[in-house]
Amino acid sequence: MTVFSHEAFADHEQVAFVCDAATGLKALIAIHDTSLGPALGGCRMYPYADEQAALRDVLRLSHGMTYKAAAAGLDLGGGKAVIIGDPRRQKTPELLQAMGRAVERLGGRYITAEDVGTSVADFAEVRKTTGHVVGLPTELGGSGDPSPTTALGVFYGLNAAARHRWGATRLSGCAVAVQGLGNVGWHLCQLLHEAGASLTISDLDESRVAKAVATFSACAVAPEAIYAAEVDIFAPCAMGAVLDDTSIARLSCGIVGGAANNQLAREDHGEQLRARGILYAPDFVINAGGMIRVASERTGYDQDFVDRGVEGIGRTLQAIFESAEAAGVPTQTAALRHARARLARARGGHALAA
Ligand code: NAI
């Protein structure tokens, strides 16, 4: 297994390989950069095909968290953890506690939270062995499920994009395609519906699709058909890497912005969107609401701090759209420049490796 020469290594400060034979825990914890503060990022549990796939995932996700925190103005670094295993069969209280011990050994350099395959309730177990955890249930003093806040940030971001693209002051009358009706996608549909947008939706789970059709008078399409839907906005809220050569060619919208992480399959897909005249709201900027919410738990949950931070997503995007236009670069490039400038200031002028 290559680590230092891995194509996704990106000068990570630390990568910990964790094993606890008694509970069957095998995990990786990646700390990308702590220039702005301790590394915060979720802990994913997934039945990876092999260890290389787990390593690639943790490195890419942790790298992305550095930029998300920097762009959101948070004093936090980027990190992520992955547990190799099937959450439905292998997740036990003992395994979660062993993961907590591994986090504790890092002495606070990494702060963990829920992610795909783990839940807010699981972190009640993790908390028994480490204090370096956020996103706890409200009854344990945490801020609960971050998904509604992520959805609100996406909603503000889409409003900013519509203002920039069309001078629209609200989303009333806009046609929006939402891919994925999970925790974030569902809340986003609610906000868009209340704002008077019309919805086209897709999900692999047919019961969620039926519920959205009934609740929001949404138009359901098959998962692959969502890219070609004739809408104003496409909001990816399911998986990453959905914007590739094929899907971008099929898009029939003016704006792309949603909650999914790592939406661009490759960096140059940002340029492809620009060439097609589609305004892309960079994922790590528009989906930072949940991170802002859980980050506030570190110093005692503060609703004003969260409200200000989430509203700020729209303003940050507006500045990124303007600087991308002025420099003639894709919005993804402008967003990375914005985050890197903050990181370079924190690092005494030393830029972070790309
Ligand atoms: P979730 O797991 O609750 O929902 C995902 C939904 O997408 C599920 O309903 C699933 O059936 C559906 N789906 C999967 N593949 C699909 C496909 N090909 N076509 C249509 N639907 C498909 O996840 P959640 O929490 O809603 O997150 C959504 C995305 O946003 C994920 O990529 C996540 O990493 C990202 N994200 C979530 C945050 C949060 O606060 N929950 C914060 C930042 C990013």
Side-chain angles (χ1 to χ4, degrees), residues 68 147 150 180 182-184 202-204 208 237-239 259-261 287:
K68 191 184 294 200
S147 309
T150 302
N183 292 322
V184 182
S202 74
D203 198 290
L204 303 181
R208 290 185 191 183
C237 296
M239 308 304 286
N261 283 312
N287 74 7

Side-chain angles (χ1 to χ4, degrees), residues 125-267:
E125 289 299 333
V126 175
R127 183 178 171 264
K128 289 180 181 166
T129 48
T130 183
H132 306 301
V133 48
V134 290
L136 289 166
T138 41
E139 56 275 21
L140 291 177
S143 62
D145 181 6
S147 309
T149 312
T150 302
L152 186 61
V154 172
F155 180 73
Y156 287 143
L158 293 181
N159 274 281
R163 212 164 29 247
H164 184 78
R165 182 78 166 71
W166 302 300
T169 50
R170 44 207 156 104
L171 295 178
S172 165
C174 261
V176 186
V178 179
Q179 178 187 47
L181 302 167
N183 292 322
V184 182
W186 185 269
H187 288 289
L188 180 62
C189 284
Q190 250 165 354
L191 292 165
L192 290 166
H193 180 66
E194 280 161 22
S198 64
L199 297 174
T200 298
I201 45 112
S202 74
D203 198 290
L204 303 181
D205 181 335
E206 286 176 12
S207 65
R208 290 185 191 183
V209 170
K211 201 171 152 203
V213 168
T215 312
F216 308 121
S217 309
C219 165
V221 294
E224 268 309 303
I226 195 98
Y227 302 107
E230 289 200 12
V231 289
D232 301 306
I233 298 173
F234 171 51
C237 296
M239 308 304 286
V242 290
L243 299 170
D244 59 17
D245 296 345
T246 315
S247 64
I248 292 174
R250 295 175 65 201
L251 288 176
S252 178
C253 60
I255 291 170
V256 173
N261 283 312
N262 299 331
Q263 290 169 29
L264 302 177
R266 287 192 317 265
E267 214 58 26

